Amino acid sequence: MASYRKLKSGWKVTISQRDENGKLRQTSKQGFATKLEARRYAATIEQDIDGVKKAKQDTLFLDYYDQWVDTYKRPKVQASTMIKYRAVHNLIKDNFAGVKIQDITRTDYQRFLNRIGQHYAKDSIRIFTSPIKECVRSAIADDVIVKDFTQQTEMIYGYQRRDVEYLTIAEIKKLAQTIEQSLKPTRPIPYVIYTAIYTGMRLGEIAALEWSDIDFDKRTISITKTWSSVTHEAKSPKTESSNRVIVVNKHLLDVLLQLKDNGHDMIFKTLHGMPASRSVNVSLRSFLKKAGINKSGYHFHSLRHSHVAYLLSKGVDLYAISKRLGHKDMTITAKTYAYLIDEYKEKQDQQIVKAIDEI
């Protein structure tokens, strides 16, 4: 509502309205020659305020999310990260098409979590819901909605991701021997797989390696970048902890030197460019079959798990493994490889009991 007051300089009008949170907001202007002019101004302001409020209330959830991503995320995140935001866009489109954001209730959002939880594992659910929660908080800050409908809801993840398959020590040796017998410098991809066996490095980290990253005297590899399959260029790792120097054995370095004559600064560059994930996995499955190893769910990243399993079996300290993998702290390593750690803990417990029995 508006109130009017006659001043020496003319009429003054004050428009008072409460926002969605009940907070009183006022707009004032003075200097009108007549009270009628002040009334006309007040009517215009009240109409504009109501119009903006109604426009906000008519905002579709999907439209607001896209606007939020374009404004706050796209300018600063890497192209590969945008894949995650596009995936969330598709989820919102599939589950909230045509739904206004202020019409969504906590119950609606919980039902959404119940649905997607049937098809995704816990980690995937977190990846999807994190941007949604951040977007909803932004909508509250923009006065588009009043309450956070994601609060006091529970993630559902009836779909449980299987533990990643890993190779036994004998299988690791068999795979390495099979690859060694097939190595040809004109085909760098087998060398990529061979490097993963000995280092536990991620595919992007291996693909980005240059000869300058290897210290043949100290027998170390410096990992300072990762190859993006989206932008087709080397970029800095997402976290500072991913920048690291790892020790390797002379045998691996001797094998990699076979690629030196290819004449590229990038160690694993092929005739068709950088090794693609699909081509690497096809090659890996071929080597597994040739080695007589039947692991239907085994893929390139499983080599990282196998590397950890091997180091654990040899009694390597978890802290050293964590640093080698480029994890921020041991908690991440312990969580990611909990199933392996539990397995080796059980074996250690058996050794402890045996040792106690001998007292």
Side-chain angles (χ1 to χ4, degrees):
M1 64 181 293
S3 61
Y4 307 91
R5 184 181 176 189
K6 184 69 163 52
L7 304 174
K8 290 182 179 181
S9 59
W11 283 89
K12 176 183 177 180
V13 59
T14 301
I15 302 100
S16 303
Q17 285 196 335
R18 294 190 179 278
D19 61 17
E20 294 91 338
N21 297 316
K23 186 176 180 180
L24 184 66
R25 298 184 181 276
Q26 294 183 325
T27 302
S28 299
K29 188 174 181 179
Q30 62 188 40
F32 295 100
T34 65
K35 187 176 183 179
L36 180 59
E37 290 181 6
R39 286 183 181 277
R40 287 174 178 172
Y41 172 80
T44 301
I45 294 298
E46 288 174 339
Q47 183 178 8
D48 288 344
I49 292 175
D50 291 339
V52 170
K53 187 183 297 183
K54 188 176 187 305
K56 286 183 176 181
Q57 292 175 345
D58 286 340
T59 303
L60 298 180
F61 186 18
L62 184 60
D63 289 344
Y64 183 84
Y65 173 80
D66 289 341
Q67 174 189 315
W68 172 75
V69 171
D70 288 339
T71 305
Y72 295 100
K73 297 302 174 183
R74 193 181 302 276
K76 67 178 182 179
V77 302
Q78 298 174 339
S80 56
T81 305
M82 281 303 301
I83 295 175
K84 174 183 73 174
Y85 290 106
R86 285 196 291 271
V88 176
H89 166 95
N90 292 333
L91 272 181
I92 295 175
K93 182 179 179 180
D94 292 341
N95 292 273
F96 295 99
V99 178
K100 298 175 183 177
I101 188 170
Q102 83 278 2
D103 289 342
I104 301 174
T105 65
R106 190 166 64 91
T107 300
D108 295 331
Y109 187 69
Q110 184 62 60
R111 287 171 178 165
F112 161 71
L113 294 178
N114 296 346
R115 286 194 296 273
I116 66 175
Q118 299 175 24
H119 307 288
Y120 297 101
K122 183 177 181 179
D123 290 344
S124 297
I125 297 295
R126 283 178 173 165
I127 290 173
F128 293 143
T129 57
S130 178
I132 291 178
K133 289 182 177 180
E134 192 176 351
C135 172
V136 169
R137 289 194 294 270
S138 178
I140 294 174
D142 286 340
D143 293 327
V144 175
I145 57 176
V146 178
K147 294 183 179 180
D148 184 348
F149 55 76
T150 69
Q151 284 189 340
Q152 297 183 343
T153 55
E154 296 183 9
M155 291 193 304
I156 303 297
Y157 35 90
Y159 171 82
Q160 298 295 329
R161 184 182 66 183
R162 293 187 306 166
D163 289 334
V164 179
E165 288 187 294
Y166 61 94
L167 305 180
T168 65
I169 295 176
E171 289 172 334
I172 290 175
K173 291 181 177 180
K174 182 64 175 176
L175 177 61
Q177 290 171 358
T178 302
I179 294 175
E180 281 185 24
Q181 295 168 2
S182 305
L183 289 176
K184 294 180 181 179
T186 54
R187 296 175 58 241
I189 285 180
Y191 291 83
V192 171
I193 301 171
Y194 198 76
T195 301
I197 293 173
Y198 278 88
T199 66
M201 291 170 62
R202 304 176 180 93
L203 177 56
E205 295 172 338
I206 295 175
L209 285 178
E210 301 179 26
W211 290 112
S212 58
D213 295 320
I214 299 181
D215 189 322
F216 287 90
D217 293 328
K218 295 182 180 179
R219 297 178 185 173
T220 61
I221 295 178
S222 295
I223 303 168
T224 60
K225 50 193 175 299
T226 184
W227 185 260
S228 171
S229 59
V230 178
T231 60
H232 302 289
E233 61 181 358
K235 61 180 183 178
S236 299
K238 285 186 176 180
T239 60
E240 183 60 33
S241 58
S242 294
N243 290 305
R244 60 199 188 278
V245 177
I246 64 172
V247 294
V248 294
N249 62 345
K250 183 177 183 299
H251 177 69
L252 173 62
L253 297 182
D254 289 341
V255 169
L256 292 181
L257 277 173
Q258 296 175 20
L259 297 172
K260 192 72 174 178
D261 291 339
N262 286 343
H264 299 298
D265 291 334
M266 307 291 290
I267 298 175
F268 302 102
K269 189 172 184 178
T270 71
L271 292 174
H272 306 288
M274 301 307 296
S277 175
R278 182 179 181 280
S279 299
V280 173
N281 276 295
V282 169
S283 182
L284 173 59
R285 284 191 289 271
S286 176
F287 282 123
L288 287 170
K289 184 177 180 181
K290 189 179 295 186
I293 302 172
N294 183 21
K295 301 282 184 179
S296 59
Y298 202 84
H299 49 81
F300 185 85
H301 197 73
S302 304
L303 293 170
R304 188 168 166 89
H305 289 250
S306 295
H307 187 72
V308 173
Y310 178 78
L311 295 180
L312 284 171
S313 71
K314 293 299 182 180
V316 177
D317 183 74
L318 185 63
Y319 176 79
I321 295 176
S322 180
K323 290 297 183 182
R324 185 173 181 83
L325 297 178
H327 287 166
K328 183 178 180 180
D329 53 54
M330 287 174 55
T331 304
I332 297 175
T333 313
K335 180 182 177 181
T336 305
Y337 300 100
Y339 67 100
L340 291 176
I341 294 170
D342 288 343
E343 178 179 328
Y344 284 101
K345 179 180 179 298
E346 183 179 345
K347 291 182 180 179
Q348 293 296 321
D349 287 344
Q350 293 173 359
Q351 292 181 9
I352 290 173
V353 172
K354 182 178 180 182
I356 294 175
D357 286 341
E358 295 175 357
I359 296 177

